[in-house]
Amino acid sequence: MKTAKLLVVLALTALILTACGDNDKKGSTTIKTLTDSLSYCMGVQTANFLDTDIDSFNVAVFEKGIKDAKGKKPALTEEQIGSVMRRFMESQKAKIGIKNLADAKKFLAENKKKPGVVTTESGLQYTILKEGNGPRPVASDVVKVHYHGTFLNGEVFDSSVKRGQPVDIPLQSVIPGWTEGIPLMKVGSKYRFFISPELGYGANGMGPIAPNQCLIFEVELFEIVKNPAKPTMRATR
């Protein structure tokens, strides 16, 4: 779970505090008013958001935390709360990473059997969409490319194509899958790369890319650049 998500949880808790205050006055747990409905919805969304089994989530202690925050001194200090939340976020991150790694291995194992898919010694997979006839860059070059990056479910996470502006990228400062893959291309080529977590962002992820996600990039190589501009794209490390 990222910091932004933690802020959402805190915002939800603030809404729950208001809703619980009204429910305390009424002494009712039935859903009759808009505030009651909001209280219930916040409870459902919080449970779904935390992605936890309700049987392992102590609702009574959760309720105590809400009530303590309203007037009593909380049982944990701010430092302790911060430590607990960091531990929780790390555990969620590890859980997501384990699932994504399994999904990536399964996908790549099946994908490499498909016609036209080439697998290198490192595990990088690619298909040739269009073969150019220009020179091949080397790992120390800067190249101008268009790229379109998606997750396995087809969701786009970054795309110079959508922005309508190719980018200049130094091959020494991008993810390993690009550093290896783009020098395989001739100028004028367009390849689709299937990049394992090890050749992408690994167990840490980056921005919208979760830990151990397998990435798919379509890359079109326009030229080897002599006077490059500063790159702005998700394949940079």
Side-chain angles (χ1 to χ4, degrees), residues 145-149 157-163 165-167 169 178 217-220 222 232-235:
V145 301
H146 248 330
Y147 68 93
H148 185 72
F157 61 85
D158 195 15
S159 174
S160 69
V161 176
K162 283 196 168 185
R163 291 191 295 271
Q165 182 64 50
V167 294
I169 61 163
W178 278 53
F217 280 102
E218 287 189 3
V219 180
E220 186 170 5
F222 294 122
T232 56
M233 39 83 73
R234 289 289 173 197

Side-chain angles (χ1 to χ4, degrees), residues 71-138:
K72 299 179 182 179
K73 183 179 179 180
L76 300 177
T77 65
E78 289 187 10
E79 290 77 11
Q80 289 172 323
I81 291 172
S83 176
V84 169
M85 294 306 298
R86 285 191 294 272
R87 286 163 51 198
F88 172 74
M89 287 187 286
E90 286 300 319
S91 69
Q92 290 296 96
K93 183 177 179 180
K95 179 180 177 181
I96 292 169
I98 290 171
K99 180 183 183 303
N100 285 342
L101 184 59
D103 290 344
K105 288 182 176 180
K106 180 180 179 181
F107 171 82
L108 292 170
E110 295 174 352
N111 191 60
K112 70 179 181 180
K113 301 174 185 176
K114 295 180 179 179
V117 175
V118 180
T119 303
T120 70
E121 186 175 347
S122 71
L124 176 68
Q125 296 180 7
Y126 67 91
T127 58
I128 301 173
L129 303 178
K130 181 179 72 173
E131 188 67 276
N133 55 15
R136 286 190 174 93
V138 297

